[in-house]
Amino acid sequence: MKFLKNIRFITISVGLVSLLAAPSLAQTEIIGEEIAILTDAPNVPPPITRDYITKVIVHLEVTEVVKEIADGVDYTFWTFGGSVPGKFIRVREGDLVEFHLKNHPSSKMPHNIDLHAVTGAGGGAASSFTTPGHESVFSFTPINPGLFVYHCATAPVGMHIANGMYGLILVEPKEGLPPVDREYYVMQGEFYTKDKYGTPGLQPFSMEKALEENADYVLFNGSVGALTGDNALQAEVGETVRLFVGNGGPNLVSSFHVIGEVFDKVYIDSGSSVNTNVQTTLVPAGGSTTVEFKLEVPGTFILVDHSIFRAFNKGAIGMLNATGEENLTIYSGKTDDRIYQPEGGAIQEIPQAEYTEPAAQNTEEQIERGKRVYTQVCMACHQANGQGIMAAFPPLAKSDYLNADVDRAIQTVINGLSGEVVVNGEQYNSIMPKLDLSDENVANVLTYVYSMWENNGTVVTPAMVKANRDAEQSTQEAAFH
C-alpha cells in the first residue's frame, strides 16, 4: 500500500509539473495582426521570427490567364494569384488566419479553396465558393504544423486542379524551423492538352487524356524551363538549402530527386518525422515533402521527377547552380578517359510529334519556329549555345561541317548519321538518330541553326528538304530495280 501511495504521489506530481509547464492564458492570446507576405515560386516568404500568435490576414485572388506552358505553346491557366503554382503562404502554428478569397471579374468560372492545413469539413471549400467578381471571407486556426497543399475544389475538381489551381501553405511549428541559408518553393503538376507536347499555339485542356492519366506535360512550377537556364535556383558551396516540394497532381505521384546530391534530411510527407541520407523521395498527388541538403561542391545539380521520361521528355526538370571552390576530396571530376563499348551501332529512330501549321511566311518566322524545334529536339545533345559536348556531340556553333554543305546537313537531319566525322578539327564517332520531322520543321530548325552562333546564314526551304527526300527515294528505287 505504501508503494501504491508513492506511485500515486509521483503521478500527481508529474501532472502538476505538466500543468505548470503548460502555456499561460497570456501566451495563447492573439497579439495584433499582420498582412501575410505571399510569394511566387520559387521564392518563399521570410521565416517567422515572432514568438507569439497573431491574426494573419491572407488576400488571395483567383485569375484565369493565358501564359506560355512551353516555348511557343500557350495554355489558359486557372491560378491562385496569377501564376502556377499559387502563392506560397507562411503562417505559425496557432495563428488565427483570416482568409480573403477573391475571384477576378474577368473569370469565367466560380472557384474556391481547400487548404489541407485546415481542420474542418472541406478544408475551407464550402466557406469559400466564390463567383466571378465576388470575395469570400472565412477564418481558421492551423493546429498542426507542417507543409500543406491547397487547391481548388469546385466541380469538376480534377479540371480545376489540372488547370493549375494548387499551391503550398507552410505552418511553422511554434518553436520555428532550424535556420538554413536558402529556401525555395518547387511544385510539380501535370497538364493534359488536346495536342501533343510541343504543339504550338493555344492548347485547350483535354478531359479525355486527364481521365486516362496520359499527361502531355509534367512540370515544375508551371512551365517548361521554369527552373532552368536563367531561371535556375542559385546557392553557394557550404550553404544549406531547404526545398519546399509539393505535388498538385492531379493524378501522378512524383519521385523527387536531385542529381548529384543526397538529402541530409527529408521531412516525411512534410510532417514531424525525419529521414536522413535519402536519395529519392515520393511526393503523392496532393502531398508535399521538405528536403534539406548542404552543398559540398560546385556545379549544376539537376532537379527531376525520377520517373525519368517525365524529366527529359515532358518537362519535369530544374537546375540548382552552386558556385564556390572545388573540393577534390569530395568530387574529383574526370581523371581518366577510357573506351566504352556502345550498346549497338544501328541508327535509332526517335518519333517526334508532327502538327499541321501554316507554312512560315518569312525567314524570321522560320527562325522563330526553328528555335522551338531545336529546344525540344536538339538542345539536350548540342546544348543551348550550340557548343555540343566534347568527344560526344559535335558543335553546331561555327561548324565547318555544317556550313560546307547544306544538302549534307539536310540529309543528316532526315536520315541521321553514324560513323566518324571531323568538325572544327575534332574527331567525333557517335550516332545522331534519325528524326521524324516534317519538311517544314527540318527547314525551320536548320535555318535557325544557320542563323546562330556565327554560322553562314543559309536559309533552308521545305522545297529543298523535299528535293533531298525525292532524290534519295529515286536512288533507292534505281538500286532496287
Side-chain angles (χ1 to χ4, degrees), residues 357-378:
E357 185 179 32
Q361 298 301 303
N362 51 52
T363 303
E364 288 70 25
E365 276 194 20
Q366 275 199 276
I367 291 171
E368 180 182 351
R369 295 180 185 185
K371 179 182 178 181
R372 185 190 309 148
V373 177
Y374 183 85
T375 300
Q376 294 170 7
V377 179
C378 313

Side-chain angles (χ1 to χ4, degrees), residues 70-389:
D71 189 19
V73 186
D74 290 331
Y75 189 82
T76 301
F77 294 95
W78 298 351
T79 75
F80 288 109
S83 61
V84 177
K87 303 286 188 180
F88 195 101
I89 306 168
R90 193 168 197 159
V91 298
R92 184 177 182 268
E93 178 187 1
D95 282 342
L96 175 64
V97 180
E98 180 181 288
F99 208 101
H100 295 247
L101 186 70
K102 308 168 185 181
N103 194 352
H104 195 274
S106 64
S107 295
K108 302 294 190 297
M109 298 286 292
H111 300 284
N112 64 6
I113 190 167
D114 169 2
L115 301 112
H116 291 188
V118 170
T119 301
S127 302
S128 59
F129 184 81
T130 312
T131 56
H134 288 256
E135 175 180 349
S136 298
V137 183
F138 66 100
S139 62
F140 67 94
T141 297
I143 60 178
N144 301 99
L147 180 67
F148 299 94
V149 168
Y150 67 79
H151 60 84
C152 186
T154 299
V157 178
M159 179 186 292
H160 285 250
I161 296 174
N163 284 335
M165 298 198 76
Y166 45 78
L168 292 179
I169 176 171
L170 174 64
V171 181
E172 283 205 29
K174 292 177 181 178
E175 65 274 15
L177 292 173
V180 294
D181 299 296
R182 310 262 184 166
E183 293 182 328
Y184 289 113
Y185 173 20
V186 178
M187 196 160 191
Q188 182 170 319
E190 70 261 16
F191 294 87
Y192 303 85
T193 56
K194 179 183 176 182
D195 297 313
K196 294 181 180 180
Y197 180 100
T199 304
L202 180 61
Q203 285 295 312
F205 166 74
S206 170
M207 178 64 87
E208 182 179 6
K209 288 183 179 178
L211 291 172
E212 295 171 351
E213 302 185 7
N214 181 21
D216 298 279
Y217 298 86
V218 184
L219 304 176
F220 293 144
N221 292 357
S223 66
V224 175
L227 292 175
T228 65
D230 293 339
N231 300 319
L233 307 180
Q234 303 295 326
E236 296 181 8
V237 171
E239 292 185 330
T240 300
V241 176
R242 175 182 291 140
L243 300 180
F244 297 111
V245 183
N247 182 8
N251 293 320
L252 303 180
V253 173
S254 174
S255 302
F256 186 72
H257 175 76
V258 176
I259 299 173
E261 265 296 343
V262 175
F263 302 138
D264 300 322
K265 292 181 181 179
V266 173
Y267 294 81
I268 305 170
D269 296 327
S270 286
S272 301
S273 298
V274 178
N275 275 348
T276 58
N277 304 322
V278 176
Q279 57 184 320
T280 302
T281 188
L282 291 176
V283 190
S288 61
T289 190
T290 303
V291 303
E292 296 175 4
F293 51 93
K294 183 178 180 181
L295 292 163
E296 306 285 354
V297 296
T300 298
F301 298 87
I302 308 300
L303 286 61
V304 296
D305 179 342
H306 215 297
S307 298
I308 208 69
F309 279 103
R310 298 177 189 171
F312 293 103
N313 299 85
K314 295 191 174 186
I317 192 166
M319 296 178 178
L320 189 154
N321 291 332
T323 57
E325 293 185 7
E326 298 280 358
N327 185 336
L328 301 182
T329 302
I330 300 294
Y331 183 67
S332 70
K334 183 181 246 185
T335 59
D336 194 4
D337 189 355
R338 305 185 185 194
I339 299 299
Y340 177 80
Q341 182 63 37
E343 295 178 5
I347 293 177
Q348 304 173 45
E349 293 195 13
I350 303 177
Q352 298 294 330
E354 291 194 23
Y355 55 88
T356 301
E357 185 179 32
Q361 298 301 303
N362 51 52
T363 303
E364 288 70 25
E365 276 194 20
Q366 275 199 276
I367 291 171
E368 180 182 351
R369 295 180 185 185
K371 179 182 178 181
R372 185 190 309 148
V373 177
Y374 183 85
T375 300
Q376 294 170 7
V377 179
C378 313
M379 188 171 71
C381 295
H382 294 290
Q383 305 297 293
N385 58 7
Q387 294 297 320
I389 297 175

Side-chain angles (χ1 to χ4, degrees), residues 43-63:
N43 298 312
V44 177
I48 295 173
T49 57
R50 55 182 163 82
D51 58 0
Y52 57 89
I53 62 175
T54 192
K55 178 180 178 180
V56 180
I57 303 171
V58 177
H59 293 280
L60 189 59
E61 183 181 53
V62 173
T63 57

